[in-house]
Amino acid sequence: MPRRGQPYIPLYVMDFLSDEKLRECSAESVGVYIMLMCVLHKQDEYGTILLKQKDKQNESTTLNFAVKLSKHLPFSTEVIDSALQELLRENVLRLDDDKLYQKRMVKDGELSQTRADAGRKGGKAKAKNANSIAMNFAKAKNIANTENEIEIENEYENDINIKRDIKKKKEYIGELFLKFWNEYPRKVAKAKALKAWESLKPTDELFEKIMQALRTQKQSEQWSKDKGQFIPHPTTWLNQRRWEDETEVIYSAADRQNYDNEYAGTVWGG
């Protein structure tokens, strides 16, 4: 197997720590299990150890494996036998006739072999076989998926969806800013104003409040006198939440009528 030459075990730490079946086992069995994985890593059939005819000296299969493994593990035959029985009982290890194996390692071995085969084919005809290699890789990946891997893939898809939603929301917030900017009478430092706007993360409801306050303050005496000299910069207005100010508006009846006509029926946030 391609993995035999590797000096490390590709251990999925979070899967190992969160394995509910393994957590049901004793500390002694977990210790045997960790050492056993090192032995399984070195086998010709990755993740699997076979009981040969010469190893069958007892009626108990687990005891026969314990005798065989005691040559490789720093535990007594009795400890190994007890641990194997518990690990099999909790479905951490599998036993099929004379074959003892760890399911995840076996699937990893199959994945490694399939990828190696696909790589060799791709080296011979990379351009022509690009689609075929991709299909082989995807098929191998599906073979190797455990329930935990499927959950990880689902989380990855959720992350993509979340990022997509965040992007859409950012674009929408940008659209709202342009509506605000177009109405704000003092157009200076647009980039800074945009950052201040994005930090607010305005909802539709907040946007309505901001725009209503802006329209009211535009009619105020403070903003109208001296050609708008006292109108604050948009960045300052946003950072200081000046839309929450109480504003006294002084204007004529004609101005009021013109203002109502200009903004009647305006709909924002659509």
Side-chain angles (χ1 to χ4, degrees):
M1 297 297 295
R3 290 187 181 274
R4 286 196 70 205
Q6 292 188 1
Y8 64 90
I9 297 177
L11 177 67
Y12 296 85
V13 177
M14 289 308 300
D15 288 359
F16 183 84
L17 295 177
S18 61
D19 190 335
E20 295 181 358
K21 297 174 182 177
L22 186 59
R23 276 194 266 177
E24 294 293 326
C25 298
S26 65
E28 190 174 69
S29 294
V30 173
V32 171
Y33 176 59
I34 293 173
M35 296 297 294
L36 176 58
M37 284 195 297
C38 296
V39 174
L40 296 176
H41 178 70
K42 306 298 289 184
Q43 300 304 304
D44 291 334
E45 186 176 351
Y46 190 75
T48 299
I49 187 168
L50 297 174
L51 196 65
K52 299 179 180 180
Q53 190 61 39
K54 66 178 182 178
D55 299 320
K56 299 178 182 180
Q57 302 175 3
N58 304 282
E59 294 183 0
S60 170
T61 302
T62 57
L63 181 56
N64 286 329
F65 270 113
V67 173
K68 182 182 181 70
L69 291 170
S70 64
K71 302 174 184 178
H72 307 280
L73 304 183
F75 303 102
S76 67
T77 301
E78 292 74 16
V79 170
I80 298 174
D81 183 32
S82 176
L84 290 178
Q85 291 183 40
E86 184 175 25
L87 293 168
L88 289 168
R89 188 167 56 251
E90 297 298 336
N91 209 27
V92 177
L93 294 175
R94 301 291 181 87
L95 180 63
D96 288 343
D97 295 329
D98 295 333
K99 180 189 292 187
L100 180 68
Y101 63 96
Q102 205 272 2
K103 185 177 179 181
R104 176 62 172 270
M105 294 181 71
V106 170
K107 288 195 173 185
D108 281 349
E110 292 173 354
L111 173 61
S112 179
Q113 184 64 60
T114 305
R115 285 176 173 170
D117 293 342
R120 283 191 292 270
K121 292 177 182 178
K124 294 177 182 178
K126 183 176 180 180
K128 294 182 180 180
N129 296 329
N131 291 334
S132 176
I133 293 171
M135 292 177 63
N136 287 337
F137 181 84
K139 183 178 180 180
K141 185 175 181 180
N142 289 334
I143 293 174
N145 274 341
T146 61
E147 292 180 359
N148 285 330
E149 286 175 319
I150 293 173
E151 290 176 3
I152 291 172
E153 289 182 0
N154 289 338
E155 290 176 2
Y156 176 73
E157 292 296 331
N158 290 337
D159 287 342
I160 292 178
N161 292 333
I162 290 172
K163 290 179 181 178
R164 187 182 297 116
D165 291 342
I166 291 174
K167 182 179 179 181
K168 289 182 179 178
K169 185 175 182 180
K170 187 174 182 179
E171 291 174 351
Y172 180 59
I173 288 176
E175 292 173 2
L176 296 182
F177 172 75
L178 290 178
K179 294 177 180 179
F180 164 79
W181 181 258
N182 289 335
E183 282 209 37
Y184 201 86
R186 190 169 188 178
K187 293 177 170 51
V188 292
K190 185 176 181 180
K192 290 184 178 181
L194 176 58
K195 287 184 178 180
W197 181 267
E198 290 175 342
S199 68
L200 292 173
K201 299 178 181 179
T203 61
D204 288 343
E205 181 180 1
L206 177 57
F207 177 73
E208 289 292 341
K209 290 180 180 179
I210 290 174
M211 298 307 295
Q212 290 174 10
L214 175 59
R215 294 166 192 159
T216 300
Q217 293 181 25
K218 284 169 65 174
Q219 302 299 315
S220 68
E221 181 181 8
Q222 179 182 357
W223 284 33
S224 301
K225 66 182 180 181
D226 297 330
K227 298 181 180 180
Q229 179 180 349
F230 298 100
I231 299 175
H233 286 201
T235 304
T236 303
W237 194 82
L238 291 170
N239 285 334
Q240 295 181 359
R241 302 179 68 88
R242 299 293 294 276
W243 67 85
E244 296 176 347
D245 292 355
E246 293 185 7
T247 306
E248 223 178 278
V249 182
I250 301 175
Y251 43 74
S252 65
D255 290 337
R256 173 74 266 179
Q257 184 62 43
N258 290 335
Y259 179 75
D260 289 343
N261 290 339
E262 181 179 357
Y263 294 108
T266 300
V267 178
W268 296 98

